[in-house]
Amino acid sequence: MRRLVLVSVPFKRDGWFPEVPANMDQMGPVHAEPMKQSPVYELYACVAPRVEDWPVLLTKIGDLLRREYDWAAEAAEVTAPTLLVVGDGDAVRPEHVVEFFGLLGGGLRDAGWDGAQRTAARLAVLPGFTHYDVLTSPAPAPAVTPFLDAPAPPSA
């Protein structure tokens, strides 16, 4: 993998604000109708081969979201240049994002006056965005595109 971009992703379940996993624990088919007003449903309806399976999808998502996870050890082993992108109103706690950035090697030291000590990890916090609208906006493109287009770092 040449580069990795993660948008609105925690590396462990408690990286979310507490109300988020509490809501995730309730996710299931009962939420199918109310969630039809969400951007997630709009995207789903555009690509789903069977739109009527929306409740089935929410059931499967609920089963997945209720699982505990902690990928700190795996995150610390990522060697590909990685960009973390979050909204300043995200469902992922800001301090968790900074911790994730640190696991990737970012934010642990000054990059130096010339940037020579900069790590391969990058962090972009997009003002005015949430976990729920950041992916439906063109706003991440100015942060993500130069990162993806940058020359590969020299091999160690």
Side-chain angles (χ1 to χ4, degrees):
M1 171 173 31
R2 192 175 76 74
R3 297 197 180 270
L4 176 63
V5 176
L6 300 173
V7 181
S8 257
V9 177
F11 67 88
K12 61 183 171 180
R13 193 168 195 257
D14 75 358
W16 303 101
F17 279 107
E19 61 274 17
V20 176
N23 288 333
M24 290 175 179
D25 290 346
Q26 304 304 313
M27 179 65 71
V30 69
H31 295 98
E33 200 57 39
M35 284 192 66
K36 284 185 176 178
Q37 307 307 312
S38 72
V40 173
Y41 180 78
E42 288 178 34
L43 290 171
Y44 174 82
C46 289
V47 299
R50 292 177 37 92
V51 177
E52 64 273 14
D53 284 344
W54 176 241
V56 174
L57 176 63
L58 290 184
T59 300
K60 290 179 180 184
I61 290 172
D63 292 343
L64 181 64
L65 293 176
R66 284 184 280 281
R67 294 183 184 175
E68 286 294 328
Y69 61 92
D70 182 344
W71 299 316
E74 293 85 350
E77 293 177 5
V78 172
T79 58
T82 301
L83 170 62
L84 300 177
V85 180
V86 294
D88 64 358
D90 212 289
V92 181
R93 296 180 293 107
E95 63 272 20
H96 179 80
V97 176
V98 171
E99 183 181 357
F100 197 171
F101 186 50
L103 288 172
L104 297 168
L108 302 177
R109 66 174 186 260
D110 176 33
W113 67 270
D114 62 354
Q117 300 301 311
R118 183 179 296 125
T119 65
R122 299 287 184 270
L123 174 62
V125 179
L126 303 177
F129 287 92
T130 72
H131 181 77
Y132 310 98
D133 62 7
V134 70
L135 287 176
T136 59
S137 166
V144 173
T145 303
F147 174 77
L148 293 175
D149 289 344
S155 299

